[in-house]
mmCIF file of all heavy atoms in Angstrom:
data_model
loop_
_atom_site.group_PDB
_atom_site.id
_atom_site.type_symbol
_atom_site.label_atom_id
_atom_site.label_comp_id
_atom_site.label_asym_id
_atom_site.label_seq_id
_atom_site.Cartn_x
_atom_site.Cartn_y
_atom_site.Cartn_z
ATOM 1 N N THR A 143 14.650 -26.451 78.752
ATOM 2 C CA THR A 143 14.614 -25.000 78.336
ATOM 3 C C THR A 143 13.484 -24.382 79.122
ATOM 4 O O THR A 143 12.790 -24.982 79.964
ATOM 5 C CB THR A 143 14.386 -24.914 76.813
ATOM 6 O OG1 THR A 143 14.553 -23.577 76.436
ATOM 7 C CG2 THR A 143 12.988 -25.367 76.345
ATOM 8 N N TRP A 147 14.199 -18.128 78.470
ATOM 9 C CA TRP A 147 15.415 -18.256 77.622
ATOM 10 C C TRP A 147 15.028 -18.078 76.148
ATOM 11 O O TRP A 147 15.634 -17.323 75.403
ATOM 12 C CB TRP A 147 16.047 -19.656 77.826
ATOM 13 C CG TRP A 147 17.448 -19.692 77.239
ATOM 14 C CD1 TRP A 147 18.623 -19.542 77.913
ATOM 15 C CD2 TRP A 147 17.810 -19.963 75.859
ATOM 16 N NE1 TRP A 147 19.737 -19.636 77.030
ATOM 17 C CE2 TRP A 147 19.232 -19.907 75.742
ATOM 18 C CE3 TRP A 147 17.071 -20.182 74.717
ATOM 19 C CZ2 TRP A 147 19.894 -20.102 74.589
ATOM 20 C CZ3 TRP A 147 17.746 -20.390 73.453
ATOM 21 C CH2 TRP A 147 19.183 -20.369 73.435
ATOM 22 N N ARG A 151 16.220 -14.854 73.952
ATOM 23 C CA ARG A 151 17.314 -15.114 72.998
ATOM 24 C C ARG A 151 16.792 -15.161 71.519
ATOM 25 O O ARG A 151 17.608 -15.076 70.610
ATOM 26 C CB ARG A 151 17.938 -16.515 73.275
ATOM 27 C CG ARG A 151 18.548 -16.675 74.593
ATOM 28 C CD ARG A 151 19.954 -16.103 74.641
ATOM 29 N NE ARG A 151 20.495 -16.301 75.952
ATOM 30 C CZ ARG A 151 21.709 -16.719 76.201
ATOM 31 N NH1 ARG A 151 22.552 -16.942 75.135
ATOM 32 N NH2 ARG A 151 22.193 -16.815 77.393
ATOM 33 N N CYS A 226 15.991 -20.769 53.297
ATOM 34 C CA CYS A 226 15.141 -19.697 53.841
ATOM 35 C C CYS A 226 15.111 -18.476 52.915
ATOM 36 O O CYS A 226 14.298 -17.601 53.074
ATOM 37 C CB CYS A 226 15.600 -19.305 55.246
ATOM 38 S SG CYS A 226 15.644 -20.703 56.321
ATOM 39 N N ARG A 266 18.089 -28.870 72.145
ATOM 40 C CA ARG A 266 17.398 -27.663 72.642
ATOM 41 C C ARG A 266 17.783 -26.366 71.933
ATOM 42 O O ARG A 266 17.075 -25.419 71.914
ATOM 43 C CB ARG A 266 17.548 -27.537 74.156
ATOM 44 C CG ARG A 266 18.945 -27.197 74.601
ATOM 45 C CD ARG A 266 19.022 -26.978 76.083
ATOM 46 N NE ARG A 266 20.364 -26.673 76.527
ATOM 47 C CZ ARG A 266 20.665 -26.293 77.719
ATOM 48 N NH1 ARG A 266 19.774 -26.139 78.649
ATOM 49 N NH2 ARG A 266 21.937 -26.035 78.032
ATOM 50 N N GLN A 335 23.133 -27.574 63.129
ATOM 51 C CA GLN A 335 23.325 -26.138 63.022
ATOM 52 C C GLN A 335 24.443 -25.642 63.927
ATOM 53 O O GLN A 335 24.496 -26.000 65.074
ATOM 54 C CB GLN A 335 22.018 -25.433 63.385
ATOM 55 C CG GLN A 335 22.164 -23.944 63.571
ATOM 56 C CD GLN A 335 20.831 -23.236 63.769
ATOM 57 O OE1 GLN A 335 20.199 -22.914 62.829
ATOM 58 N NE2 GLN A 335 20.456 -23.065 65.002
ATOM 59 N N GLY A 337 24.830 -22.501 65.439
ATOM 60 C CA GLY A 337 24.030 -21.324 65.673
ATOM 61 C C GLY A 337 24.795 -20.029 65.606
ATOM 62 O O GLY A 337 24.325 -19.068 65.019
ATOM 63 N N LYS A 338 26.012 -20.049 66.213
ATOM 64 C CA LYS A 338 26.788 -18.802 66.247
ATOM 65 C C LYS A 338 27.268 -18.361 64.861
ATOM 66 O O LYS A 338 27.229 -17.188 64.526
ATOM 67 C CB LYS A 338 27.960 -18.992 67.210
ATOM 68 C CG LYS A 338 27.597 -18.933 68.654
ATOM 69 C CD LYS A 338 28.819 -18.724 69.546
ATOM 70 C CE LYS A 338 28.509 -18.408 71.008
ATOM 71 N NZ LYS A 338 27.290 -18.940 71.539
ATOM 72 N N ALA A 374 14.024 -15.389 61.634
ATOM 73 C CA ALA A 374 14.812 -16.444 62.226
ATOM 74 C C ALA A 374 15.012 -16.184 63.706
ATOM 75 O O ALA A 374 14.957 -17.113 64.531
ATOM 76 C CB ALA A 374 16.148 -16.569 61.521
ATOM 77 N N ASN A 375 15.283 -14.926 64.078
ATOM 78 C CA ASN A 375 15.601 -14.591 65.440
ATOM 79 C C ASN A 375 15.439 -13.083 65.586
ATOM 80 O O ASN A 375 15.989 -12.340 64.773
ATOM 81 C CB ASN A 375 17.027 -15.015 65.757
ATOM 82 C CG ASN A 375 17.384 -14.797 67.235
ATOM 83 O OD1 ASN A 375 16.994 -13.793 67.803
ATOM 84 N ND2 ASN A 375 18.153 -15.688 67.772
ATOM 85 N N ARG A 377 16.743 -11.088 67.538
ATOM 86 C CA ARG A 377 17.997 -10.374 67.770
ATOM 87 C C ARG A 377 18.813 -10.198 66.439
ATOM 88 O O ARG A 377 19.511 -9.253 66.268
ATOM 89 C CB ARG A 377 18.873 -11.138 68.783
ATOM 90 C CG ARG A 377 18.263 -11.057 70.193
ATOM 91 C CD ARG A 377 19.213 -11.601 71.208
ATOM 92 N NE ARG A 377 19.459 -13.022 71.014
ATOM 93 C CZ ARG A 377 20.659 -13.614 71.028
ATOM 94 N NH1 ARG A 377 21.708 -12.911 71.378
ATOM 95 N NH2 ARG A 377 20.796 -14.909 70.814
HETATM 96 N N1 COA Z 764 17.196 -23.325 76.474
HETATM 97 C C1 COA Z 764 18.061 -23.062 77.510
HETATM 98 N N2 COA Z 764 19.361 -22.994 77.294
HETATM 99 C C2 COA Z 764 19.819 -23.161 76.061
HETATM 100 C C3 COA Z 764 18.988 -23.470 74.977
HETATM 101 C C4 COA Z 764 17.600 -23.525 75.240
HETATM 102 N N3 COA Z 764 16.720 -23.777 74.290
HETATM 103 N N4 COA Z 764 19.732 -23.574 73.849
HETATM 104 C C5 COA Z 764 21.029 -23.400 74.216
HETATM 105 N N5 COA Z 764 21.087 -23.176 75.550
HETATM 106 C C6 COA Z 764 22.239 -22.904 76.367
HETATM 107 C C7 COA Z 764 23.515 -23.434 75.762
HETATM 108 O O1 COA Z 764 23.691 -24.834 76.042
HETATM 109 C C8 COA Z 764 24.546 -22.573 76.455
HETATM 110 O O2 COA Z 764 24.776 -23.048 77.745
HETATM 111 P P1 COA Z 764 26.206 -23.037 78.393
HETATM 112 O O3 COA Z 764 26.638 -21.599 78.449
HETATM 113 O O4 COA Z 764 25.992 -23.685 79.722
HETATM 114 O O5 COA Z 764 27.114 -23.848 77.480
HETATM 115 C C9 COA Z 764 23.814 -21.219 76.576
HETATM 116 O O6 COA Z 764 22.464 -21.492 76.465
HETATM 117 C C10 COA Z 764 24.247 -20.210 75.570
HETATM 118 O O7 COA Z 764 24.218 -20.874 74.320
HETATM 119 P P2 COA Z 764 24.593 -20.096 72.994
HETATM 120 O O8 COA Z 764 24.637 -21.034 71.900
HETATM 121 O O9 COA Z 764 25.773 -19.210 73.243
HETATM 122 O O10 COA Z 764 23.303 -19.128 72.816
HETATM 123 P P3 COA Z 764 23.087 -18.024 71.793
HETATM 124 O O11 COA Z 764 22.802 -16.728 72.493
HETATM 125 O O12 COA Z 764 24.117 -17.989 70.710
HETATM 126 O O13 COA Z 764 21.684 -18.451 71.125
HETATM 127 C C11 COA Z 764 20.823 -19.443 69.112
HETATM 128 C C12 COA Z 764 21.616 -19.672 70.395
HETATM 129 C C13 COA Z 764 20.703 -20.755 68.394
HETATM 130 C C14 COA Z 764 19.431 -18.940 69.545
HETATM 131 C C15 COA Z 764 21.492 -18.368 68.265
HETATM 132 O O14 COA Z 764 22.895 -18.711 68.080
HETATM 133 C C16 COA Z 764 20.860 -18.179 66.919
HETATM 134 O O15 COA Z 764 19.747 -17.727 66.796
HETATM 135 N N6 COA Z 764 21.596 -18.487 65.807
HETATM 136 C C17 COA Z 764 21.040 -18.408 64.441
HETATM 137 C C18 COA Z 764 20.231 -19.607 64.196
HETATM 138 C C19 COA Z 764 19.272 -19.408 63.000
HETATM 139 O O16 COA Z 764 18.710 -18.379 62.847
HETATM 140 N N7 COA Z 764 19.167 -20.472 62.189
HETATM 141 C C20 COA Z 764 18.329 -20.473 61.062
HETATM 142 C C21 COA Z 764 18.854 -19.697 59.941
HETATM 143 S S1 COA Z 764 17.786 -19.694 58.555
#
Side-chain angles (χ1 to χ4, degrees):
T143 189
W147 194 97
R151 302 277 181 136
C226 306
R266 68 177 180 170
Q335 167 173 276
K338 283 195 171 29
N375 184 322
R377 290 190 297 137

